[in-house]
Amino acid sequence: MCGIVAATARDNVVPVLIEGLKKLEYRGYDSAGLAVLQDGKLARQRAVGRVLELEKKAGTLSAQSGIAHTRWATHGAPAEHNAHPHLSDGLAVVHNGIIENHAKLKAELAAQGYVFTSETDTESIAHLISACLKTAPDLAEAVRLACLRLKGAYAIAVISEADPGRVVLAREGVPLLLGVGENGYYAASDTSALLQVTRQMIYLENGDLADLRADRLNIRRLDGVRVNRPIVLSQLSVDAVELGAYRHYMQKEIFEQPEALANTLELVGATSTLQAEIFGTKAHALLPQADAALILACGTSSHAGMVAKYWLEGIAGIPTNVEIASEYRYRDSVPNPGQLVIAISQSGETADTQAALAYARSLGQPLTLAICNVPESSIVREAALRFITRAGPEIGVASTKAFTTQLAALFLLTLVLAKLRGRLTAKEEAAHLVALRHLPVAVQKVLALEPEIAAWARGFADKEHALFLGRGRHYPIALEGALKLKEISYIHAEAYPAGELKHGPLALVDKNMPVIAVAPNDPLLEKLKSNLQEVKARGGELYVFADQGSRIGEDAEEDGIHVLCLPEHYGPLSPILHVIPLQLLAYHAALIKGTDVDKPRNLAKSVTVE
């Protein structure tokens, strides 16, 4: 979960490296560093903390080739001696991923006389390449030989005094892409880091090794075979990853949700009927084969999957299981060749989800679908079917617009499967399409409630704990609200199905434990009202998100009960509307507490390691 930038060009690359790291800070921000070949000699600078600290130390460095890194610590504490790049005999390495056999390599290399100065697994890579370089004819061959010894996941970039003007890169299980510019070649973990110099991208495959010079590029496999990878024109723009007039990226991305949903639903915006092909050219042949669904996801994406379970079973009538991706491949499960395996990931590079998808396929389950925000990502390329959510770049670590667009995609999948299974009438299909088209407008109306939600947040700033309640398909929304609050405000929060309140959690309720309830106007509302009375009777402070005209609004004036009514009730799509105020509540609570909203401690955006 680190960010890499590399460049070799005809002009000074240091500004490109620094600016690229700034765009990658969402991937890690414990420390940062760079190494360049200045007048043929390695020059390295490292700093603990943000890229801004590194920029100050880089000073007047100038070079035509270099590598840079922003770190999220896995091996070794966030400290300058653990920061990348790591050096060995005139070469420098940056690395994203985890080397599983680093301890064995370290012992072997230490016996050869190599001295280790960090606790990182990356330093083993640097010394291993150095050892290979003693017999290899050049840097690229040394990197190739070293990679054949590595076990785990990695993206690496290497420069050496012995090969000035050259950058060698390799990828296995961790994203790495190349940029083709007018003045040279570039590389990074993410497209956003390279938009400053080019929109022409080459996406490396697992097992690729790229050899860059300012005027040429060679790509080969680790077995030595030369390959060509296509140049893809990125659809992202520089403006899409700029903060603009907003205080934080999270705020910007919350307010981009109407547009993100409109873009995601564009394929059905002008149609009168749903077509299976929105999930890929093979969808019409593959989706009717599905007799069950298995959803694999982590974190926020798993909450989207939990909502989808209610939709898929209730509307499409298809049995559905939701598995935490990091757990699925480590247990004995019963494979079903006929089930649709759905992998959900914002980045498409989530290591646990990618591994779980591969494991599901290895068990003989070929019907696979990726729901993802990045069209060129690994998970998208590995799945038989795919749906790109078109949320645009999401920079804030706490996911917002990616979540709501995932829900929109999963609802479309539900309708398509229901139609293929003969469970959706033409009238029902038309009604659902009308609701989907109106969804961006409905979300915009909810966003207008921000001032009232910000006022509520002032009641949370001095709290240490919070309890979230929901029922049915809104229980996962309560889970997502609790996750958002603890992610960015550091207030401990838990979520429960409201009916479980009296089975334990009620013991925690007192005047210091605010209780947030998701209370749409649905058939479970009366039961939820009873649960809320249990909270009120114990002196708990209630914050209720209801629907316009909801019967729960009758209690709005009672002491200890605060009710905010959303502009309209939205039926099955209600979870998408009800998560918006929970995002805003977490955001404003974090503002009051003064935490780093976009870069919460200990977390990073794209989880590319286990």
Side-chain angles (χ1 to χ4, degrees):
M1 288 163 54
C2 305
I4 290 173
V5 188
T8 177
R10 300 180 186 88
D11 47 15
N12 181 19
V13 301
V14 174
V16 175
L17 298 177
I18 293 290
E19 186 60 29
L21 289 185
K22 290 178 180 178
K23 293 295 187 290
L24 295 180
E25 275 195 299
Y26 72 90
R27 302 178 69 91
Y29 37 86
D30 291 333
S31 60
L34 62 79
V36 297
L37 286 169
Q38 185 168 260
D39 300 324
K41 296 294 183 182
L42 271 178
R44 176 179 65 169
Q45 289 291 348
R46 298 182 293 178
V48 174
R50 301 299 166 78
V51 174
L52 182 61
E53 300 303 315
L54 175 66
E55 186 175 24
K56 294 174 184 175
K57 296 181 74 172
T60 58
L61 278 179
S62 178
Q64 292 180 311
S65 60
I67 56 178
H69 187 271
T70 181
R71 181 173 185 250
W72 185 83
T74 54
H75 292 74
E80 186 170 320
H81 71 279
N82 287 327
H84 300 212
H86 290 286
L87 308 184
S88 182
D89 291 340
L91 64 83
V93 175
V94 293
H95 163 231
N96 180 16
I98 289 180
I99 304 304
E100 296 173 358
N101 62 334
H102 77 280
K104 180 180 179 181
L105 292 172
K106 181 176 180 178
E108 176 186 320
L109 292 161
Q112 296 177 30
Y114 286 96
V115 177
F116 287 76
T117 61
S118 76
E119 293 88 52
T120 69
D121 53 345
T122 303
E123 194 174 5
S124 296
I125 303 175
H127 292 320
L128 181 60
I129 295 172
S130 175
C132 292
L133 196 55
K134 293 177 179 178
T135 56
D138 60 15
L139 181 63
E141 180 63 10
V143 172
R144 187 185 76 84
L145 293 173
C147 287
L148 293 175
R149 298 283 314 279
L150 301 179
K151 293 181 180 179
Y154 58 82
I156 60 174
V158 190
I159 57 174
S160 172
E161 290 178 347
D163 263 319
R166 191 176 200 173
V167 178
V168 179
L169 308 108
R171 180 211 166 160
E172 181 61 50
V174 176
L176 192 62
L177 57 92
L178 309 180
V180 181
E182 294 181 0
N183 293 315
Y185 287 94
Y186 309 86
S189 300
D190 190 307
T191 306
S192 62
L194 300 184
L195 290 174
Q196 55 176 314
V197 288
T198 184
R199 289 177 61 198
Q200 295 188 89
M201 306 296 172
I202 296 173
Y203 295 90
L204 296 179
E205 301 284 346
N206 285 336
D208 280 357
L209 184 145
D211 185 0
L212 310 185
R213 294 180 184 271
D215 59 351
R216 62 185 183 274
L217 157 68
N218 291 308
I219 303 175
R220 55 176 164 157
R221 305 288 292 165
L222 290 182
D223 61 7
V225 176
R226 290 278 186 93
V227 293
N228 291 313
R229 301 294 181 213
I231 296 176
V232 177
L233 185 64
S234 174
Q235 298 304 304
L236 296 181
S237 67
V238 175
D239 291 344
V241 293
E242 295 296 340
L243 187 57
Y246 294 93
R247 292 181 64 179
H248 299 92
Y249 279 106
M250 183 179 180
Q251 182 189 31
K252 176 177 184 272
E253 288 153 12
I254 288 172
F255 278 86
E256 285 176 340
Q257 286 176 108
E259 180 183 4
L261 286 163
N263 290 338
T264 297
L265 296 168
E266 184 178 12
L267 288 173
V268 298
T271 61
S272 56
T273 61
L274 287 163
Q275 303 296 323
E277 283 75 12
I278 63 175
F279 293 95
T281 56
K282 301 177 183 177
H284 202 275
L286 296 182
L287 289 180
Q289 300 177 33
D291 58 17
L294 169 64
I295 297 175
L296 303 172
C298 299
T300 286
S301 295
S302 71
H303 297 157
M306 292 172 69
V307 174
K309 176 180 172 69
Y310 286 92
W311 289 336
L312 287 165
E313 293 193 341
I315 299 174
I318 185 165
T320 302
N321 285 322
V322 183
E323 296 261 9
I324 301 297
S326 58
E327 293 292 319
Y328 170 68
R329 67 188 178 112
Y330 293 113
R331 72 174 186 84
D332 294 328
S333 60
V334 180
N336 173 6
Q339 74 181 348
L340 177 66
V341 180
I342 306 164
I344 311 173
S345 169
Q346 188 279 137
S347 67
E349 304 292 350
T350 308
D352 288 318
T353 306
Q354 187 177 353
L357 175 61
Y359 178 64
R361 292 171 61 194
S362 75
L363 294 179
Q365 299 173 120
L367 302 179
T368 56
L369 165 67
I371 293 178
C372 181
N373 193 38
V374 182
E376 306 89 357
S377 61
S378 299
I379 289 174
V380 169
R381 293 198 301 269
E382 291 169 13
L385 304 174
R386 70 286 313 269
F387 188 96
I388 307 304
T389 54
R390 299 180 70 186
E394 191 177 65
I395 306 300
V397 166
S399 180
T400 52
K401 62 179 180 176
F403 177 69
T404 48
T405 54
Q406 286 170 355
L407 288 175
L410 288 162
F411 192 74
L412 284 175
L413 176 65
T414 298
L415 297 182
V416 168
L417 287 171
K419 186 175 180 179
L420 292 173
R421 295 166 66 86
R423 292 176 58 97
L424 191 70
T425 67
K427 183 177 180 180
E428 290 169 335
E429 180 182 9
H432 285 310
L433 285 172
V434 169
L436 284 167
R437 291 177 189 129
H438 181 65
L439 190 57
V441 175
V443 169
Q444 193 69 57
K445 291 179 181 178
V446 178
L447 289 169
L449 299 174
E450 185 186 25
E452 292 96 320
I453 297 168
W456 276 17
R458 288 194 285 273
F460 287 80
D462 62 343
K463 304 300 182 184
E464 296 182 359
H465 308 279
L467 187 63
F468 285 71
L469 301 176
R471 298 204 69 146
R473 58 181 171 245
H474 292 86
Y475 164 54
I477 298 304
L479 284 168
E480 177 62 12
L483 177 61
K484 286 294 156 284
L485 188 66
K486 57 188 157 191
E487 273 185 310
I488 62 170
S489 75
Y490 314 147
I491 296 172
H492 172 247
E494 298 293 339
Y496 282 88
E500 287 292 292
L501 192 62
K502 54 186 171 293
H503 295 289
L506 195 58
L508 297 171
V509 173
D510 60 20
K511 63 180 181 180
N512 296 315
M513 171 74 85
V515 177
I516 302 95
V518 183
N521 194 9
D522 62 18
L524 288 172
L525 182 62
E526 287 304 317
K527 292 186 179 295
L528 180 59
K529 287 179 69 175
S530 298
N531 302 139
L532 299 184
Q533 287 301 321
E534 294 169 352
V535 172
K536 183 174 180 294
R538 273 76 179 179
E541 190 89 354
L542 275 164
Y543 296 84
V544 184
F545 291 102
D547 288 333
Q548 191 66 46
S550 170
R551 297 183 300 280
I552 210 165
E554 301 164 4
D555 300 326
E557 301 303 320
E558 293 186 25
D559 291 340
I561 298 183
H562 312 277
V563 179
L564 185 62
C565 290
L566 275 59
E568 52 189 300
H569 175 55
Y570 223 63
L573 288 168
S574 174
I576 297 177
L577 297 192
H578 271 273
V579 79
I580 307 296
L582 301 185
Q583 295 170 350
L584 288 169
L585 185 66
Y587 174 72
H588 283 284
L591 277 187
I592 294 166
K593 289 180 69 69
T595 61
D596 192 336
V597 172
D598 287 331
K599 300 179 180 68
R601 66 190 183 201
N602 305 332
L603 301 178
K605 182 68 176 176
S606 182
V607 187
T608 57
V609 296
E610 283 194 73

